[in-house]
Amino acid sequence: MNVYQSPPTAHVVAMLLYDGVAASDVAGPLECFGLANYLSGRSLYQICTFTLDGAPVNAGGAWLGLAPNCSAEGLPANLHTLLVPGGPAVFKISQDPAFTRWLAARANTVERIGSICNGTFLLAAAGLTKGRRVATHWVYANELARQHPETDVDADALFVQSGPLWSSGGMSAGMDLALAIIEADFGRTLAMEVARMMVLYMRRAGGQNQFSVHLQSQFADIPMVERIRQIIMDDPAGDHRIETLAKNLAMSERTMLRLFKESTGQTIGEFVIGIRLRTACTLLETSYREVKEIAILSGLGTEANMRRTFMSRLKVSPTEYRDRFRLETEGAGLEHRQKLGYDDHWLHRYEVMDFRKGGKPASA
DNA sequence: TACTTCATCCGCCATA
DNA sequence: CTTATGGCGGATGAAG
């Protein structure tokens, strides 16, 4: 099969697939490269996916099959960038000597190697991260540092470049990594165009609204509406009354309101509450802080107000929300998961997503 | 729960 | 004349 029909100037980018890979780690970054081609109208990147033996695999919990373009032997000699995604199966695969040996050898023959999320564990297992600074999903940062003391783990970074080695944080940070690579290869303008397309897409999907610092700075000088969004997302608990917002942006309230509504279909007030609500949800899920404290931190102000907002928007009280989350993640399913050999954190993540999507409606 | 107070936001219209 | 701006006032609904 001939996957590589672009001009010889194009960078060949290959994404490794394996059974139990995280689908978004694979698709997100590749979409970025694909958009770079599309938006530039040129074949800047030749994109391909491969498995070691060329056979199809299942992603994540086996609800999505992935068919690679080729096997490891089928990869072109001029492979430029090798990408290694994460997934629930990472910890199993990193024990496989055949795999790590292959990875260590192949890494020597490429210009650039990148990892997404806990895919960094695979690079580490192949001995590629020794003496280098790397990023990984924040959940795994400590574990990575423990297993590989000679690797410098940055728990906060969205992505880190250390020579030819690029690594990125959790899932969506893989797209930030791809954007950074595009920027390094073909300039900031193109990377920004790709980012804008991706942002639109992510917003529509209603996914998490966490934008990287990287992106924020790039958008800062584009449209007024983006700036308003970022001011609010930077500090959900800040003073974002119309009056102060308008004053800070040096424009009239009326125009600011109208502009925002016209281009987003949402009023500024709605947007502020939406961000605060999401902030509160995240804090409930990821911390043991008291509801009262979370109310303050999220910008919802008081416990009563937070409760009111939760009831009207989510049909669940803050404590109920937290209880359900804990139940789903610490409940009886644990033994079952361990039997399957999956890492807890991964199922934890999947269940968070299931919960948000499915969320049985509350009874009053 | 009922009540007061206040921010939001949109239609309307004058203005640039 | 068209278009974008922005001030005003009141309906609405949220906060306390």
Side-chain angles (χ1 to χ4, degrees), chain A residues 148-165:
Chain A
H148 304 276
E150 67 293 81
T151 298
D152 183 9
V153 181
D154 186 337
D156 286 324
L158 279 164
F159 66 86
V160 172
Q161 181 194 359
S162 178
L165 185 68

Side-chain angles (χ1 to χ4, degrees), chain A residues 37-339:
Chain A
N37 288 345
Y38 175 74
L39 292 171
S40 67
R42 295 159 56 199
S43 294
L44 303 178
Y45 294 101
Q46 292 174 15
I47 304 162
C48 73
T49 56
F50 71 101
T51 56
L52 286 194
D53 58 4
V57 293
N58 285 320
W63 32 258
L64 180 67
L66 300 174
N69 296 128
C70 62
S71 69
E73 281 129 13
L75 285 172
N78 65 340
L79 176 58
H80 181 279
T81 300
L82 174 62
L83 295 175
V84 179
V90 150
F91 303 102
K92 206 190 311 176
I93 294 194
S94 57
Q95 310 287 317
D96 180 355
F99 176 82
T100 50
R101 238 182 291 121
W102 176 85
L103 187 56
R106 199 62 171 91
N108 289 328
T109 66
V110 298
E111 301 296 313
R112 180 164 55 203
I113 184 157
S115 71
I116 296 113
C117 200
N118 62 357
T120 309
F121 278 78
L122 297 176
L123 302 191
L128 299 169
T129 62
K130 277 202 182 86
R132 295 212 176 269
R133 189 164 179 77
V134 298
T136 187
H137 193 291
W138 59 271
V139 163
Y140 299 114
N142 285 340
E143 183 60 15
L144 183 64
R146 195 187 63 77
Q147 287 183 20
H148 304 276
E150 67 293 81
T151 298
D152 183 9
V153 181
D154 186 337
D156 286 324
L158 279 164
F159 66 86
V160 172
Q161 181 194 359
S162 178
L165 185 68
W166 299 57
S167 51
S168 63
M171 305 189 132
S172 66
M175 288 187 276
D176 290 307
L177 178 74
L179 289 173
I181 288 176
I182 292 168
E183 183 176 347
D185 289 348
F186 300 107
R188 187 179 157 126
T189 310
L190 179 61
M192 277 172 60
E193 282 185 50
V194 173
R196 229 180 308 174
M197 296 294 277
M198 298 302 290
V199 169
L200 277 179
Y201 172 73
M202 294 197 294
R203 285 244 168 95
R204 276 165 197 257
Q208 54 179 330
N209 236 321
Q210 301 236 343
F211 288 79
S212 68
V213 238
H214 178 63
L215 282 187
Q216 284 184 22
S217 60
Q218 293 197 347
F219 278 137
D221 54 352
I222 310 286
M224 186 60 77
V225 172
E226 272 323 309
R227 291 184 60 189
I228 298 174
R229 278 198 172 114
Q230 272 142 37
I231 288 171
I232 295 164
M233 291 189 300
D234 275 350
D235 178 22
D239 175 6
H240 299 311
R241 283 173 305 177
I242 302 300
E243 192 188 339
T244 35
L245 225 40
K247 207 197 278 177
N248 290 339
L249 290 167
M251 62 194 303
S252 80
E253 298 182 18
R254 187 71 186 83
T255 305
M256 184 182 72
L257 251 17
R258 184 191 281 144
L259 219 65
F260 195 92
K261 180 65 184 281
E262 272 169 7
S263 64
T264 68
Q266 196 183 26
T267 66
I268 294 180
E270 284 167 358
F271 181 75
V272 170
I273 292 181
I275 293 297
R276 289 178 173 168
L277 184 67
R278 197 169 296 139
T279 306
C281 285
T282 307
L283 285 169
L284 285 170
E285 290 166 15
T286 61
S287 80
Y288 289 94
R289 294 171 195 269
E290 289 175 28
V291 174
K292 193 173 155 193
E293 196 189 349
I294 292 177
I296 295 169
L297 289 172
S298 65
L300 289 171
T302 64
E303 201 168 349
N305 188 34
M306 176 165 163
R307 183 184 163 76
R308 202 150 29 181
T309 308
F310 265 70
M311 292 310 290
S312 68
R313 309 245 169 174
L314 304 176
K315 314 291 179 204
V316 195
S317 76
T319 33
E320 265 179 305
Y321 182 92
R322 172 176 267 170
D323 285 347
R324 282 193 193 181
F325 176 79
R326 300 256 184 258
L327 271 179
E328 306 236 350
T329 54
E330 293 172 9
L334 190 61
E335 286 166 29
H336 176 62
R337 287 167 220 154
Q338 284 169 345
K339 216 178 287 175

